[in-house]
Amino acid sequence: MSASQKRLAALRESVGEVDPLEALELQQRGARLIDVREPDEVAAGSPEGALRIVRGFLELRIEQAVADTETPLLVLCAGGARSLFAADDLERLGYTDVRSVAGGFREWKNAGLPVEVPRTLDAEQRERYGRHLSVPEVGEEGQLRLLDSKVLLIGAGGLGSPTALYLAAAGVGTLGIVDDDVVDRSNLQRQILHTDARVGRSKVASARETLLALNPSLDVRGHETRLDRHNVEEVFGGYDVIVDGTDNFPTRYLINDACVKLQKPNVHGSIFRFEGQVTVFWPSREADPGPCYRCLYPEPPPAELAPSCADAGVLGVLPGVIGVMQAVETIKLLLGIGEPLVGKLLQYDALQAEFYSLRVERDPGCAYCGSEHFPGYVDYAQSCAAPVAVP
Ligand SMILES: [Zn+2]
């Protein structure tokens, strides 16, 4: 008898074994069935409702998946050998009720027990998102969620450029981009989606080309249009999160009002010279809802007080900082992790190299998020948007 056969025989004695039918009955009574096979094996089918943790990561991931060490665990592999080793390791970690499924998945299938084909990442995706897969808060499940997510970016400009690049790199599967402008040389100081060779071409087409070069499997949807009260709901409809990277007040209010009405989170960023701010407006959030833009600024400033677009100078790298923070907040919302910037406004002063965080409260009297009745969209005169003093 070889050393490994001896060890297996010993484990059969020390670790309890159950046959697949018993395992199913125990699973139905609350035991967790853990399939420890490799991703390519699992891709062909796995017991219904099983937790899938590859053997190599079992000790590192089990505590997050099953926190209570008294939960009965059933370990399954292809033929019942690897699961014995795995079960032994789980006992060493302190799990008190661990058994191995005799005959493994082969016998499970032969017994005609319920099998499902789980969605998994393919080899190319595993390679591309490997650094996400090793973060427990993302993992395969989180990455699949990102791939299924749909995010709409308003503006392929200074803020939209870094946001779009990082969301595309992170594998947000569907990225919509709204912009009706063309690439202008004076934009290239900050709009890093575009290139000098594309001056004069549509920004949406240019953005699409850059993003698909970075991550070819994405669905990048261009909306080459100016948002208005007639098209805003149709454009927003298919997306999970709206990212406001706009530079003018009429659009900013339109985005806010549509997000309030459609109950979508609005990841907001704005910049002016050396200062920027970022927050998430989400008054319809179930727990701890925050304000909408109008809770803070009920109406746009009069046109004479808003700087003209050409005057609203900005340090080119500043939208990079703010847009990347919008991307971070978007990813957190999509994954449901961490504390989003809801009810909190983060301000950045580049010259002083300081971040300030302010609580921002909901206005119960807000005409938009505070009312059951949607007051309708408003057409404001075109003016440029810069952050105004925070109340
Ligand atoms: Zn409000």
Side-chain angles (χ1 to χ4, degrees), residues 291-292 294-295 363 366 368-370:
C292 80
R294 284 189 191 267
C295 292
D363 173 6
C366 173
Y368 281 75
C369 73

Side-chain angles (χ1 to χ4, degrees), residues 147-217:
L147 288 164
D148 286 342
S149 296
K150 299 181 173 70
V151 173
L152 182 68
L153 304 165
I154 321 288
L159 292 167
S161 285
T163 316
L165 280 164
Y166 272 105
L167 293 182
V172 172
T174 304
L175 280 176
I177 298 174
V178 183
D179 206 305
D180 68 342
D181 217 346
V182 294
V183 178
D184 188 283
R185 189 163 284 122
S186 71
N187 299 151
L188 297 178
Q189 163 248 29
R190 62 200 177 282
Q191 301 186 2
I192 58 172
L193 273 174
H194 314 298
T195 65
D196 196 73
R198 300 187 206 143
V199 167
R201 275 184 59 199
S202 123
K203 280 166 77 171
V204 159
S206 164
R208 202 166 176 277
E209 197 172 316
T210 301
L211 297 173
L212 290 178
L214 173 62
N215 194 344
S217 61

